[in-house]
Amino acid sequence: MRFSVISTQSFGLWSWGLIPWIASMNSLGLAHLSFLSFFFFLFLIYPSSLSWNLLWLDWGFDYLSLCLICLSCLVIGLSILMSLESSCSEMTKSCGLLLVTLILTFSTSSLLYFYCGFEFSVVPMVYIILRWGSEAVRLVAAGYMVVYTLFSSMPLLWGLACLADKTCETSMLILTKTPFSGYMDSLWWVAMILAFLVKSPLYPFHLWLPKAHVEAPTFGSMILAGVMLKLGTYGLFRVCPIYMTGHHIINSVVIAMGVWGSAYSGLIALRVLDMKEMVAYASVGHMSLVVAGIFSNTTWGWGGAFIMMLSHGLVSSLLFGLVGYMSTYSGSRGFIFNRGWMNIRPWLSVFMFIGCSANMGVPPFPSFLGELGLMTGLGLYNWVNFIVVGISCVLTGAYSLRLYLLTQHGSSPSHLRPIESASNGPAVVSFIAHSIFIILLNFIWVM
Amino acid sequence: MSGSILTSVGSRIFSLNTIHTYFFFILMFSGGLMCSSCTDLFTGWVGMEVMLLCFFPVVLKHHMPWLSVLGCVNYFVIQVIGSNLYFVSSCFMSAFDSKHWMISILLALFLKLGMFPFSFWVPKVYSSLEWGGCLMVSVWQKYGPLFIMANNYLNQKFWWLVTLSGVLSVWIGGMLGVTVNSVRVLMGWSSVCHAGWMAILTLTSEWILLLYFLTYALICTALFSMFELTGLMNFSSFAYYSQTTRACLCLGLLSMAGVPPLSGFFLKWVGLLSLIESGFELISLALIMGSGMSALLYMNLVFTLSVHSWAMSLSYPITTPMWEAGDYIRMFILIFMFPFLFFFLN
């Protein structure tokens, strides 16, 4: 029991001190704060090594968590910038709460703290969907999100309690012993990974994601796709070393679901009529591949998953920003109402081009490196995966081209004409910054 | 601003205005202590009867006694049936020297706690009581039966009955609670869920049970007095509340649901650790899944509180029940007791 004394106590104390300070800021201030903390953590990466740097008790970080902290600071800052014109104090508060929660979540070495942040980060996200969602269906969408994440994270809590009780330790640093053996071991392993699979999301558990994205406001879906999904894959990166050597049957099932699910969600993305839903299915496909890459237990797979995770964070954030921008002005998320944007906003199609080609993994963009690593790692696991991952990459290219061609080319409909004279707003800055950081991601140092 | 937290909140939600109601209040606590310190079943019965009889003068407000009479009568009938069953079967147990009468004793206690096979009375009673009465039924009236269970060694022998009823009441409470439209009935189903947890914890460790009970009592007190102070009846009355009131209510409900940095998570974590330590691994998995189900109880309420309300956009001002600053501070203290609780574990 003593172990639990220190553990959850300090999670609470840290976060409470920071929240009132951040709650007193305005939106631009919070954007500044998140950019500043992005650069702060970015410069921490280089002096720190790949291994863990512990600060105090169970608080500290390694390379992976520093990269994810940087990603969350950047994406939250850029998403605030994206909807700066319609910002209000509740938006600042919820984004600030999310920022603090994510930084704390990624900077612990204890799985229990991580669980706390993993669970709590759902609260501001659901609030964002409920408060700024446009239609009454948002209640259903938020309900789906809560039910999926809640039900899947209860077994994780049980798994952590088993781990804490049998091995007296929940630290990520020395996660080598498992509490059970035999069939209980398999049950425990499913309980440990299920929450992360749902959060990532792996293909069959993804149903909450497109709904949540369709109903969320632009900045909400940018944060959701950019950072929140990475909580799941980050958790997998942390718990998977337990089964690094053994070939667990469950791991093969997860790989199969990830690889085939990626191809399926590519097919779904080819035929949906809603732009936001399409980008959501694109992120389901990419994240399923990332999950499969983590479970392949190869160096290539892990490196590819790492790069793909970071690049997907920025690329999907950019795409959601663009799609949200278009649908704000055209009044609809449907492809039918968004044609010929190139005539209306020529600069928009530049960013759309960058976003779509980064999404499909064209060489100068980091997604290419990610896909290369994932394909190699999964192919090393089993040669069939080469074919399926290849199909899913082709499908990715196809739906990215579809998104670009349908929205940018063709004659622009008459309801878009009046928009020609509207001002651009701070969204452009957000798109430019996204594009720059996507390119800069190429210079990342692979684990 | 006078007295401690308990007195000032208590004087608003209970009828603690005159000296004789204080007398009944203290008598009720002593009945609970009698239950928790008894060594035989008969003394426990006496303690439970004292608690039951002192419940009514505390809960009925003497300037408007008609408010919760119906709930009190319903509650009285159910509790008397439970007590009689308990009394008769404990007499039979000593007369016939058969351990199997413990089954019917346990069933009588489940009836008194409102647990699974007998949770039908919960919506009826909660919907016709006031918030003070609901608080008493949820918290203090559960103390006696729970600690009688924890004290009796035969409880361990019939562990299957306790775990079956406990797990099922967590699941059923969550399932039946999500369809409910009245906030008090919803809190009633939530108390069924927590009673399930506590009944299973009687099998493990009395200290953990006490810790669970105290934390649950704190959260319940905070939440129910917030409901009382905001004059809340059903979901539609949320529309008039200020942002801060909504945030407070949301935090209280999330704490009840067990969202991590709040006190409610502490209940789950401590309960799970203690159950796994005693070897109930699979049962604790079923229980925590049911806890996920029961966390959905509060979802509708929290959603209603979070959605931007139409009343905000009205042009005329709406008078809302105002809170003093002290009220907010009290609520925050009660909800965020979380880190300090861990010091008791050491």
Side-chain angles (χ1 to χ4, degrees), chain A residues 112-136:
Chain A
L112 185 62
Y113 292 6
F114 174 68
Y115 176 83
C116 288
F118 182 80
E119 273 279 90
F120 186 69
S121 59
V122 178
V123 176
M125 198 62 235
V126 166
Y127 178 70
I128 286 172
I129 293 176
L130 287 174
R131 171 67 178 74
W132 287 280
S134 48
E135 291 151 38

Side-chain angles (χ1 to χ4, degrees), chain A residues 61-270:
Chain A
F61 28 66
D62 70 342
Y63 184 62
L64 176 63
S65 50
L66 268 177
C67 286
L68 281 165
I69 291 171
C70 285
L71 181 73
S72 37
C73 294
L74 188 62
V75 166
I76 287 178
L78 290 178
S79 63
I80 293 169
L81 210 57
M82 178 70 209
S83 48
L84 199 59
E85 284 167 326
S86 57
S87 67
C88 56
S89 74
E90 288 109 66
M91 183 184 138
T92 322
K93 277 172 191 156
S94 47
C95 286
L97 189 61
L98 209 49
L99 181 71
V100 173
T101 314
L102 287 169
I103 291 176
L104 288 174
T105 309
F106 286 130
S107 59
T108 72
S109 69
S110 156
L111 276 176
L112 185 62
Y113 292 6
F114 174 68
Y115 176 83
C116 288
F118 182 80
E119 273 279 90
F120 186 69
S121 59
V122 178
V123 176
M125 198 62 235
V126 166
Y127 178 70
I128 286 172
I129 293 176
L130 287 174
R131 171 67 178 74
W132 287 280
S134 48
E135 291 151 38
V137 199
R138 68 182 186 270
L139 287 165
V140 181
Y144 261 83
M145 187 175 170
V146 169
V147 169
Y148 268 77
T149 45
L150 204 70
F151 266 97
S152 59
S153 66
M154 285 302 146
L156 175 62
L157 183 61
W158 175 78
L160 285 180
C162 288
L163 196 68
D165 196 69
K166 309 275 181 197
T167 65
C168 293
E169 192 57 66
T170 55
S171 174
M172 298 169 183
L173 303 176
I174 41 171
L175 203 61
T176 47
K177 281 187 290 183
T178 56
F180 299 111
S181 56
Y183 75 97
M184 278 298 275
D185 186 48
S186 309
L187 185 66
W188 179 77
W189 183 234
V190 172
M192 285 298 278
I193 60 177
L194 188 65
F196 302 135
L197 298 186
V198 171
K199 189 82 171 190
S200 293
L202 190 68
Y203 175 74
F205 311 117
H206 70 288
L207 285 174
W208 61 275
L209 187 78
K211 285 182 201 298
H213 270 310
V214 165
E215 293 309 318
T218 307
F219 74 96
S221 24
M222 284 168 83
I223 296 173
L224 181 59
V227 201
M228 300 289 286
L229 304 187
K230 275 74 204 169
L231 282 169
T233 41
Y234 175 77
L236 286 178
F237 267 115
R238 292 303 183 208
V239 298
C240 274
I242 304 182
Y243 284 97
M244 195 59 164
T245 49
H247 281 279
H248 218 277
I249 180 73
I250 295 161
N251 297 6
S252 345
V253 173
V254 171
I255 290 176
M257 288 199 292
V259 170
W260 284 100
S262 166
Y264 284 145
S265 44
L267 283 176
I268 295 169
L270 265 177

Side-chain angles (χ1 to χ4, degrees), chain A residues 8-9 16 119 154 158 166, chain B residues 260 268 281 284 339 342-343:
Chain A
T8 6
Q9 179 186 339
W16 300 350
E119 273 279 90
M154 285 302 146
W158 175 78
K166 309 275 181 197
Chain B
K268 274 187 197 165
E281 281 103 359
S284 66
F342 282 98
F343 290 116

Side-chain angles (χ1 to χ4, degrees), chain B residues 166-180:
Chain B
V167 168
L168 282 175
S169 48
V170 173
W171 275 96
I172 302 274
M175 280 180 194
L176 295 182
V178 285
T179 58
V180 156

